[in-house]
Amino acid sequence: MTEFAEVLRQLSSAQKPAKGASVYSLFVNRPAGRLLAAVAYRVGATPNQLTTLGALFTFPALATVALLPPGRVMSLCVGAAMTVGFALDAADGQLARGQRSGSPSGEWLDHVLDCVKLVSLHLVVLVSFYRFFALPSPVFLLAPMVFQLAAVVIFFAGVLTEKLKRRATADAPAGSTPALWSVLLLPVDYGVTCLSFLFLGSQHIFLLLYCTLLLAHVLFMAAFLVKWFRELR
Protein backbone atom coordinates (compact mmCIF):
# COMPACT_ATOMS: atom_id res chain seq x y z
CA MET A 1 0.00 0.00 0.00
CA THR A 2 2.86 2.38 0.79
CA GLU A 3 4.46 1.68 -2.59
CA PHE A 4 1.12 2.26 -4.35
CA ALA A 5 0.72 5.60 -2.55
CA GLU A 6 4.24 6.58 -3.62
CA VAL A 7 3.41 5.75 -7.25
CA LEU A 8 0.28 7.90 -6.98
CA ARG A 9 2.37 10.75 -5.57
CA GLN A 10 4.86 10.50 -8.43
CA LEU A 11 2.08 10.44 -11.02
CA SER A 12 0.39 13.40 -9.36
CA SER A 13 3.58 15.44 -9.73
CA ALA A 14 3.65 14.64 -13.45
CA GLN A 15 0.15 15.93 -14.22
CA LYS A 16 -0.80 18.01 -17.20
CA PRO A 17 -1.33 21.72 -16.50
CA ALA A 18 -4.83 22.61 -15.33
CA LYS A 19 -5.16 25.29 -18.01
CA GLY A 20 -8.00 24.58 -20.44
CA ALA A 21 -9.46 21.71 -18.40
CA SER A 22 -13.03 21.49 -17.13
CA VAL A 23 -13.95 20.60 -13.58
CA TYR A 24 -14.86 17.09 -14.76
CA SER A 25 -11.38 16.50 -16.13
CA LEU A 26 -9.70 18.08 -13.11
CA PHE A 27 -11.66 16.40 -10.33
CA VAL A 28 -13.07 13.21 -11.87
CA ASN A 29 -11.33 11.96 -15.00
CA ARG A 30 -7.71 12.79 -14.18
CA PRO A 31 -7.89 11.38 -10.62
CA ALA A 32 -9.57 8.21 -11.98
CA GLY A 33 -6.91 8.00 -14.68
CA ARG A 34 -4.20 8.44 -12.06
CA LEU A 35 -5.51 5.44 -10.11
CA LEU A 36 -5.60 3.34 -13.28
CA ALA A 37 -2.10 4.52 -14.25
CA ALA A 38 -0.80 3.56 -10.80
CA VAL A 39 -2.26 0.07 -11.17
CA ALA A 40 -0.75 -0.20 -14.64
CA TYR A 41 2.62 0.94 -13.30
CA ARG A 42 2.55 -1.76 -10.63
CA VAL A 43 1.72 -4.55 -13.09
CA GLY A 44 4.23 -3.35 -15.68
CA ALA A 45 1.77 -2.23 -18.38
CA THR A 46 2.83 0.28 -21.02
CA PRO A 47 1.07 3.51 -22.04
CA ASN A 48 0.23 2.04 -25.45
CA GLN A 49 -1.42 -0.94 -23.75
CA LEU A 50 -3.58 1.45 -21.73
CA THR A 51 -4.48 3.31 -24.92
CA THR A 52 -5.52 0.04 -26.54
CA LEU A 53 -7.48 -1.03 -23.46
CA GLY A 54 -9.36 2.27 -23.52
CA ALA A 55 -10.31 1.59 -27.14
CA LEU A 56 -11.53 -1.89 -26.17
CA PHE A 57 -13.91 -0.29 -23.68
CA THR A 58 -15.08 2.47 -26.02
CA PHE A 59 -15.61 0.92 -29.45
CA PRO A 60 -17.76 -2.10 -28.44
CA ALA A 61 -19.92 0.33 -26.44
CA LEU A 62 -20.33 2.54 -29.49
CA ALA A 63 -21.15 -0.46 -31.67
CA THR A 64 -23.86 -1.40 -29.18
CA VAL A 65 -25.50 2.02 -29.62
CA ALA A 66 -25.84 1.43 -33.36
CA LEU A 67 -26.89 -2.22 -33.19
CA LEU A 68 -29.28 -2.49 -30.24
CA PRO A 69 -32.45 -0.63 -29.26
CA PRO A 70 -31.73 1.70 -26.34
CA GLY A 71 -32.79 0.46 -22.92
CA ARG A 72 -31.99 1.30 -19.33
CA VAL A 73 -29.53 -1.53 -18.69
CA MET A 74 -27.92 -1.09 -22.10
CA SER A 75 -27.51 2.66 -21.61
CA LEU A 76 -25.96 2.21 -18.17
CA CYS A 77 -23.46 -0.30 -19.57
CA VAL A 78 -22.64 1.89 -22.57
CA GLY A 79 -22.22 5.04 -20.47
CA ALA A 80 -20.06 3.24 -17.91
CA ALA A 81 -17.85 1.64 -20.57
CA MET A 82 -17.32 4.95 -22.37
CA THR A 83 -16.53 6.69 -19.08
CA VAL A 84 -13.95 4.04 -18.17
CA GLY A 85 -12.51 4.30 -21.67
CA PHE A 86 -12.08 8.04 -21.20
CA ALA A 87 -10.40 7.51 -17.82
CA LEU A 88 -7.98 5.09 -19.49
CA ASP A 89 -7.32 7.78 -22.10
CA ALA A 90 -6.16 10.01 -19.23
CA ALA A 91 -4.21 7.16 -17.65
CA ASP A 92 -2.00 6.44 -20.66
CA GLY A 93 -0.63 9.97 -20.77
CA GLN A 94 -0.09 10.08 -17.02
CA LEU A 95 1.74 6.76 -17.11
CA ALA A 96 3.93 7.96 -20.00
CA ARG A 97 4.85 11.14 -18.14
CA GLY A 98 5.39 9.30 -14.86
CA GLN A 99 7.69 6.73 -16.52
CA ARG A 100 9.21 9.34 -18.85
CA SER A 101 8.38 6.86 -21.57
CA GLY A 102 6.40 9.12 -23.89
CA SER A 103 7.12 8.73 -27.59
CA PRO A 104 5.95 10.29 -30.85
CA SER A 105 4.39 6.97 -31.88
CA GLY A 106 2.49 6.74 -28.59
CA GLU A 107 1.20 10.29 -28.93
CA TRP A 108 0.25 9.59 -32.54
CA LEU A 109 -1.69 6.46 -31.55
CA ASP A 110 -3.48 8.32 -28.76
CA HIS A 111 -4.55 11.21 -31.00
CA VAL A 112 -5.62 8.98 -33.90
CA LEU A 113 -7.82 6.86 -31.64
CA ASP A 114 -9.26 10.01 -30.04
CA CYS A 115 -10.23 11.27 -33.48
CA VAL A 116 -11.78 7.92 -34.44
CA LYS A 117 -13.78 7.94 -31.18
CA LEU A 118 -15.16 11.41 -31.89
CA VAL A 119 -16.22 10.52 -35.42
CA SER A 120 -17.64 7.12 -34.45
CA LEU A 121 -19.59 8.45 -31.46
CA HIS A 122 -21.76 10.76 -33.52
CA LEU A 123 -22.08 8.29 -36.39
CA VAL A 124 -23.59 5.68 -34.07
CA VAL A 125 -25.93 8.29 -32.57
CA LEU A 126 -27.11 9.10 -36.09
CA VAL A 127 -27.75 5.40 -36.73
CA SER A 128 -29.56 5.03 -33.41
CA PHE A 129 -31.70 8.11 -34.09
CA TYR A 130 -32.68 6.72 -37.48
CA ARG A 131 -33.34 3.14 -36.36
CA PHE A 132 -34.75 3.41 -32.85
CA PHE A 133 -35.84 6.96 -31.95
CA ALA A 134 -39.26 8.52 -32.41
CA LEU A 135 -37.84 11.92 -33.36
CA PRO A 136 -40.11 14.99 -33.29
CA SER A 137 -38.90 15.81 -36.80
CA PRO A 138 -36.50 14.31 -39.37
CA VAL A 139 -34.45 17.51 -39.02
CA PHE A 140 -33.06 16.08 -35.77
CA LEU A 141 -31.07 13.65 -37.91
CA LEU A 142 -28.86 16.63 -38.72
CA ALA A 143 -27.91 17.00 -35.05
CA PRO A 144 -25.25 14.24 -34.98
CA MET A 145 -23.74 15.56 -38.21
CA VAL A 146 -23.39 19.11 -36.87
CA PHE A 147 -22.20 17.80 -33.49
CA GLN A 148 -19.55 15.69 -35.20
CA LEU A 149 -18.38 18.68 -37.25
CA ALA A 150 -18.05 20.91 -34.18
CA ALA A 151 -16.37 18.24 -32.02
CA VAL A 152 -13.80 17.30 -34.68
CA VAL A 153 -12.99 20.93 -35.52
CA ILE A 154 -12.46 21.74 -31.82
CA PHE A 155 -10.27 18.67 -31.40
CA PHE A 156 -8.17 19.21 -34.53
CA ALA A 157 -7.81 22.98 -34.13
CA GLY A 158 -6.92 22.58 -30.45
CA VAL A 159 -4.20 20.02 -31.16
CA LEU A 160 -2.84 22.07 -34.06
CA THR A 161 -2.79 25.27 -32.00
CA GLU A 162 -0.95 23.51 -29.19
CA LYS A 163 1.67 22.19 -31.62
CA LEU A 164 2.18 25.57 -33.29
CA LYS A 165 2.52 27.35 -29.94
CA ARG A 166 4.72 24.72 -28.26
CA ARG A 167 8.07 26.12 -29.39
CA ALA A 168 7.19 29.71 -28.56
CA THR A 169 5.84 28.84 -25.11
CA ALA A 170 8.24 26.04 -24.20
CA ASP A 171 9.81 28.03 -21.38
CA ALA A 172 6.68 29.94 -20.33
CA PRO A 173 4.61 28.91 -17.32
CA ALA A 174 1.48 26.98 -18.26
CA GLY A 175 -0.83 28.86 -15.92
CA SER A 176 -4.20 27.68 -14.75
CA THR A 177 -7.81 28.04 -15.76
CA PRO A 178 -10.10 30.25 -13.63
CA ALA A 179 -12.65 28.25 -11.64
CA LEU A 180 -15.63 29.78 -13.44
CA TRP A 181 -14.12 29.00 -16.86
CA SER A 182 -13.52 25.38 -15.78
CA VAL A 183 -17.24 25.11 -14.99
CA LEU A 184 -18.23 26.73 -18.29
CA LEU A 185 -16.08 24.19 -20.17
CA LEU A 186 -18.15 21.28 -18.83
CA PRO A 187 -20.49 20.99 -21.86
CA VAL A 188 -17.54 20.54 -24.25
CA ASP A 189 -15.74 17.97 -22.10
CA TYR A 190 -15.78 14.57 -23.82
CA GLY A 191 -16.40 12.97 -20.44
CA VAL A 192 -19.73 14.78 -20.09
CA THR A 193 -20.73 13.49 -23.53
CA CYS A 194 -19.88 9.99 -22.32
CA LEU A 195 -22.03 10.47 -19.23
CA SER A 196 -24.98 11.58 -21.37
CA PHE A 197 -25.18 8.03 -22.74
CA LEU A 198 -26.30 6.88 -19.29
CA PHE A 199 -29.66 8.40 -20.30
CA LEU A 200 -29.84 6.81 -23.76
CA GLY A 201 -32.66 4.54 -22.55
CA SER A 202 -34.87 7.59 -21.96
CA GLN A 203 -35.20 8.96 -25.47
CA HIS A 204 -36.62 12.39 -24.60
CA ILE A 205 -33.99 13.03 -21.92
CA PHE A 206 -31.11 11.88 -24.12
CA LEU A 207 -32.32 13.94 -27.07
CA LEU A 208 -32.54 17.03 -24.87
CA LEU A 209 -29.09 16.44 -23.38
CA TYR A 210 -27.52 15.67 -26.74
CA CYS A 211 -28.95 18.78 -28.42
CA THR A 212 -27.91 20.94 -25.46
CA LEU A 213 -24.35 19.65 -25.72
CA LEU A 214 -24.50 20.17 -29.48
CA LEU A 215 -25.44 23.83 -29.05
CA ALA A 216 -22.61 24.29 -26.54
CA HIS A 217 -20.10 22.73 -28.94
CA VAL A 218 -21.16 24.99 -31.80
CA LEU A 219 -20.88 28.12 -29.65
CA PHE A 220 -17.55 27.10 -28.15
CA MET A 221 -16.20 26.11 -31.58
CA ALA A 222 -16.77 29.66 -32.83
CA ALA A 223 -15.25 31.17 -29.68
CA PHE A 224 -12.25 28.83 -29.67
CA LEU A 225 -11.44 29.40 -33.35
CA VAL A 226 -11.42 33.18 -32.89
CA LYS A 227 -9.35 32.89 -29.70
CA TRP A 228 -6.76 30.49 -31.13
CA PHE A 229 -6.38 32.45 -34.36
CA ARG A 230 -5.73 35.64 -32.42
CA GLU A 231 -3.20 33.91 -30.18
CA LEU A 232 -1.26 32.59 -33.17
CA ARG A 233 -1.18 36.02 -34.79
Side-chain angles (χ1 to χ4, degrees):
M1 185 61 70
T2 303
E3 293 180 6
F4 187 78
E6 177 60 21
V7 171
L8 279 176
R9 188 194 65 78
Q10 292 177 4
L11 291 173
S12 180
S13 64
Q15 286 291 297
K16 271 184 172 181
K19 187 174 182 179
S22 80
V23 292
Y24 179 85
S25 287
L26 291 175
F27 299 111
V28 179
N29 199 59
R30 288 186 184 179
R34 188 157 58 246
L35 287 172
L36 294 171
V39 173
Y41 184 88
R42 291 297 304 276
V43 302
T46 67
N48 283 351
Q49 288 171 339
L50 285 184
T51 303
T52 303
L53 183 60
L56 292 177
F57 270 90
T58 300
F59 291 120
L62 292 176
T64 301
V65 174
L67 297 175
L68 298 179
R72 290 185 179 180
V73 175
M74 176 268 226
S75 62
L76 289 175
C77 292
V78 166
M82 292 176 63
T83 301
V84 172
F86 187 43
L88 285 164
D89 189 46
D92 60 6
Q94 295 187 55
L95 182 62
R97 287 188 295 274
Q99 293 179 332
R100 292 181 173 84
S101 59
S103 66
S105 61
E107 187 174 359
W108 179 90
L109 177 65
D110 184 48
H111 282 81
V112 167
L113 286 178
D114 284 345
C115 187
V116 176
K117 289 175 190 176
L118 281 179
V119 174
S120 301
L121 185 151
H122 300 292
L123 283 177
V124 300
V125 170
L126 176 60
V127 172
S128 183
F129 278 1
Y130 180 78
R131 296 186 64 193
F132 307 122
F133 274 63
L135 296 173
S137 166
V139 74
F140 282 90
L141 291 174
L142 295 174
M145 303 179 195
V146 178
F147 203 150
Q148 182 186 80
L149 171 66
V152 172
V153 168
I154 290 172
F155 172 78
F156 173 78
V159 171
L160 180 60
T161 302
E162 180 184 350
K163 297 297 183 186
L164 292 174
K165 291 172 62 178
R166 182 169 292 178
R167 179 178 298 178
T169 60
D171 300 322
S176 60
T177 300
L180 178 59
W181 185 242
S182 291
V183 174
L184 292 176
L185 286 172
L186 266 174
V188 291
D189 192 307
Y190 175 78
V192 174
T193 303
C194 292
L195 290 176
S196 71
F197 280 81
L198 295 170
F199 301 93
L200 186 65
S202 301
Q203 293 192 8
H204 295 298
I205 295 176
F206 180 77
L207 185 60
L208 176 62
L209 286 173
Y210 189 81
C211 289
T212 300
L213 295 176
L214 159 62
L215 177 60
H217 273 72
V218 171
L219 294 175
F220 271 94
M221 176 185 68
F224 284 149
L225 290 179
V226 172
K227 175 179 179 292
W228 290 331
F229 182 76
R230 286 178 174 175
E231 288 176 352
L232 291 173
R233 290 186 69 185

